[in-house]
Amino acid sequence: MLSAAQLATLAQLGEERAADVGDLLFRVGDQQYPFIAIIEGEVAILDGAGHEIIRHRTSGFLGEMNLLTGQTVFLTAVVTQRLRYIAVDRDVLRSLLFEDGPLSDLLLSTFIARREALQGVQGIGLEIVGPRSSAGTMRMVEFARSNRLPFSWHDTERSDDEAAAALLAGLDVAALPLVRLPGGVELHGPSTGQVSRALGIGRELAAREEVDLVVVGAGPAGLAAAVYGASEGLETLVVESSALGGQAGTSRRIENYLGFPAGISGSELTSRAVTQARKFRARTATPYRALSLEPVDGRYVVRLEEDHEIAARSVLLATGAQYRRLPVDQLSDYEGMSVFYAAGPPEAQLCGAARVGVVGGGNSAGQAAVWLARGGALVTLLHRRANLREIAALHGADGQLESVTLKSGKRLPFSFLFLFLGASPCTDWLGDAVARDDKGFILTGAAAGADTMLETSLPGVFAAGDVRSGSTKRCATAVGEGAMAVQFVHGRLAEHSRPQPAPIS
Ligand SMILES: Cc1cc2nc3c(=O)[nH]c(=O)nc-3n(C[C@H](O)[C@H](O)[C@H](O)COP(=O)(O)OP(=O)(O)OC[C@H]3O[C@@H](n4cnc5c(N)ncnc54)[C@H](O)[C@@H]3O)c2cc1C
């Protein structure tokens, strides 16, 4: 609920309007809508099929994450009791959020909670129709998941949904999946970039851009660099191949990030970081995958998918790593709640004396097993040599694991599962451009023969976060390194622009 003082602030910036019962304030498929604060009356929110989801009343407000990101409207708002309301233009609201801390906290956390709730409701947002055996379909499903878009997937291979199967009849595999946007527009076999832009999420880059600093990867390291770079006067562009937020954005709860004693969800932490980066006018471009890096005429050129290229005076590589995951359904429902990729004190405390499975054969799996057992947990170590794909299914509810089933049919009553299947750095795209260690992580500092700590073997190209050889795989470290890299960028740019001594004749 908005306080009387907050309504007064909004009234100064917006426009007071009235609407009658039955009036539509916005509808599914609209390109955008203003922020709406209710002075008096009632509004019902409906999905595309007209089912009611919730009602908002006096002092309530309408909207969810798409108000800030600019995505196409997923829902319809219809007046159910005569309404007096304040409409605030989206850009005005964004500026206000940068200035008014308490209002920003209230709106951001509500918008994020609403988005999470919408993700659990069928029939809202994107409709993806395609079989799981089609790579294009799986890419689209992953894209929707990682961008936290509400979506429904009709897997024509697993369901007997005849209507969905009929939609695909006669279609070539290249035309899969069929994607229906809010509002009804249908796309056949679209790229994630096309869907992203059709939804109004990703910004369109010019074929060639020139900036001071290009940051590749928008996880915590890249976003921290964006905040510090842009706020310190560097023209900063962040390119991201998938979803802003990186691995951290997928974490259900980050318990050890400084300043959040009760923990914070990964999506909230990274949504806040994105808002902060934009406040300082850092530009974020998604989904654009970096394909190569090379020095050209005293600058670096990062080439992206779809024939885009960015020329920059300095580059930060923050492409992170991908933890190997178990190929089982519903894994993401448990991640961060009862399935983890690290075992520290918070996890040991959380597990207490519960039954825990630790999967993996490396040092980290062994250490985790000892650590958790010391905390009182009853640990079963599932050795790597025993085929990992033995785990066939996870069972539980609301993110809390209750048991796992092995392919043999045996059921093990685990309340928590720890996965140590290794992580591979996202560096293949770099080829030989920068020196890497034997696992592919980027060497920096003395190990790369560089002058400064985070600099790679290419002067003016830095690396931060999980992608860096020897880094601690934690959010806080990634953020710290991203921030620190910007200091080195300043140093490098200052050196570069210093007048060179005249040649001796
Ligand atoms: C489920 C889960 C839970 C976690 N929980 C915690 C926790 O509680 N506490 C904690 O401290 N840490 C936690 N971590 C670890 C933490 O999230 C990472 O250490 C952190 O996100 C690393 O940040 P980063 O910016 O270096 O890389 P990432 O977060 O990996 O971000 C890298 C980004 O680069 C993008 N990218 C990759 N290749 C390209 C390319 N070629 N072009 C453009 N973009 C590209 C990726 O899509 C990604 O968005 C967790 C990780 C996971 C997976």
Side-chain angles (χ1 to χ4, degrees):
M1 292 296 215
L2 295 159
S3 68
Q6 285 168 332
L7 278 168
T9 304
L10 291 163
Q12 280 173 3
L13 297 168
E15 187 189 334
E16 189 176 325
R17 298 180 190 165
D20 286 321
V21 173
D23 284 355
L24 294 183
L25 301 175
F26 51 81
R27 73 178 79 198
V28 175
D30 284 355
Q31 287 307 304
Q32 50 173 288
Y33 59 107
F35 174 74
I36 292 175
I38 303 176
I39 303 172
E40 198 174 22
E42 187 188 71
V43 179
I45 302 295
L46 316 176
D47 69 12
H51 300 127
E52 186 171 321
I53 296 173
I54 198 168
R55 286 188 185 215
H56 296 295
R57 301 187 173 84
T58 303
S59 300
F61 55 92
L62 277 56
E64 59 100 43
M65 276 315 281
N66 60 1
L67 249 181
L68 302 182
T69 57
Q71 287 160 26
T72 308
V73 178
F74 298 127
L75 301 163
T76 294
V78 59
V79 177
T80 44
Q81 278 176 26
R82 194 173 149 65
L83 194 72
R84 275 203 309 127
Y85 66 99
I86 304 161
V88 183
D89 180 76
R90 206 179 64 195
D91 292 333
V92 176
L93 180 77
R94 276 195 195 158
S95 314
L96 180 61
L97 293 188
F98 298 150
E99 288 152 21
D100 188 327
L103 185 65
S104 173
D105 275 347
L106 173 68
L107 299 195
L108 266 178
S109 50
T110 309
F111 289 168
I112 290 165
R114 285 180 183 169
R115 171 55 64 99
E116 282 186 1
L118 287 180
Q119 284 175 274
V121 182
Q122 278 290 313
I124 293 179
L126 283 186
E127 254 182 280
I128 302 171
V129 187
R132 63 180 56 210
S133 58
S134 128
T137 302
M138 295 317 291
R139 200 165 37 246
M140 197 55 64
V141 169
E142 180 50 32
F143 164 78
R145 264 195 199 127
S146 57
N147 278 279
R148 296 176 281 284
L149 297 171
F151 74 101
S152 317
W153 172 29
H154 306 279
D155 177 1
T156 46
E157 221 158 67
R158 287 282 170 99
S159 79
D160 37 2
D161 181 345
E162 284 172 15
L167 285 172
L168 304 187
L171 286 185
D172 187 76
V173 70
L176 298 178
L178 183 151
V179 176
R180 194 176 286 138
L181 302 175
V185 174
E186 287 184 0
L187 304 172
H188 288 101
S191 69
T192 53
Q194 277 171 301
V195 173
S196 180
R197 279 177 272 291
L199 287 173
I201 308 173
R203 65 169 287 135
E204 187 82 70
L205 283 177
R208 187 183 157 89
E209 303 258 351
E210 226 170 302
V211 291
D212 295 328
L213 170 63
V214 61
V215 178
V216 188
L223 290 171
V227 167
Y228 285 85
S231 67
E232 292 169 14
L234 296 175
E235 197 184 352
T236 306
L237 172 64
V238 188
V239 290
E240 164 59 51
S241 59
S242 156
L244 299 175
Q247 295 170 64
T250 66
S251 172
R252 294 292 286 271
R253 200 131 206 101
I254 297 175
E255 299 282 358
N256 53 0
Y257 195 76
L258 189 72
F260 294 91
I264 180 166
S265 77
S267 68
E268 178 157 6
L269 183 69
T270 53
S271 297
R272 284 173 180 275
V274 171
T275 308
Q276 198 173 10
R278 287 182 178 149
K279 165 181 171 174
F280 292 118
R281 307 214 175 281
R283 293 157 64 207
T284 51
T286 57
Y288 289 101
R289 179 172 299 280
L291 299 179
S292 67
L293 164 72
E294 58 179 315
V296 179
D297 296 336
R299 310 218 151 196
Y300 287 104
V301 171
V302 176
R303 288 187 215 287
L304 310 176
E305 282 172 324
E306 296 179 18
D307 284 335
H308 292 276
E309 61 176 47
I310 321 279
R313 296 165 70 205
S314 56
V315 179
L316 177 67
L317 304 172
T319 46
Q322 275 179 332
Y323 288 89
R324 286 180 56 204
R325 304 167 82 224
L326 281 177
V328 294
D329 284 345
Q330 270 96 44
L331 178 65
S332 59
D333 292 354
Y334 298 98
E335 281 173 331
M337 310 280 279
S338 51
V339 171
F340 299 97
Y341 295 85
E347 289 85 10
Q349 196 185 18
L350 184 69
C351 292
R355 294 187 72 116
V356 171
V358 174
V359 185
N363 278 347
S364 40
Q367 281 166 5
V370 171
W371 176 262
L372 293 164
R374 273 200 200 133
L378 191 57
V379 180
T380 303
L381 186 59
L382 297 176
H383 200 273
R384 198 174 190 167
R385 257 176 266 149
N387 189 351
L388 291 177
R389 276 171 293 180
E390 253 200 272
I391 293 188
L394 306 177
H395 313 279
D398 299 328
Q400 184 54 60
L401 193 68
E402 284 160 15
S403 60
V404 306
T405 302
L406 304 182
K407 279 239 167 96
S408 62
K410 192 171 176 189
R411 205 156 163 150
L412 299 173
F414 294 149
S415 304
F416 298 93
L417 195 60
F418 289 80
L419 303 175
F420 296 94
L421 313 179
S424 36
C426 303
T427 51
D428 287 353
W429 66 279
L430 285 164
D432 295 331
V434 292
R436 295 185 278 154
D437 69 14
D438 56 352
K439 295 203 172 85
F441 289 91
I442 300 171
L443 294 171
T444 50
D451 295 342
T452 53
M453 267 170 68
L454 300 177
E455 200 160 18
T456 69
S457 54
L458 277 181
V461 175
F462 301 86
D466 281 16
V467 77
R468 203 175 63 76
S469 176
S471 68
T472 312
K473 309 288 185 272
R474 294 278 184 207
C475 272
T477 338
V479 167
E481 290 186 8
M484 201 187 347
V486 170
Q487 289 314 303
F488 296 132
V489 167
H490 282 303
R492 181 56 70 176
L493 294 184
E495 208 172 275
H496 213 66
S497 50
R498 205 174 291 146
Q500 299 298 307
I504 300 165
S505 54

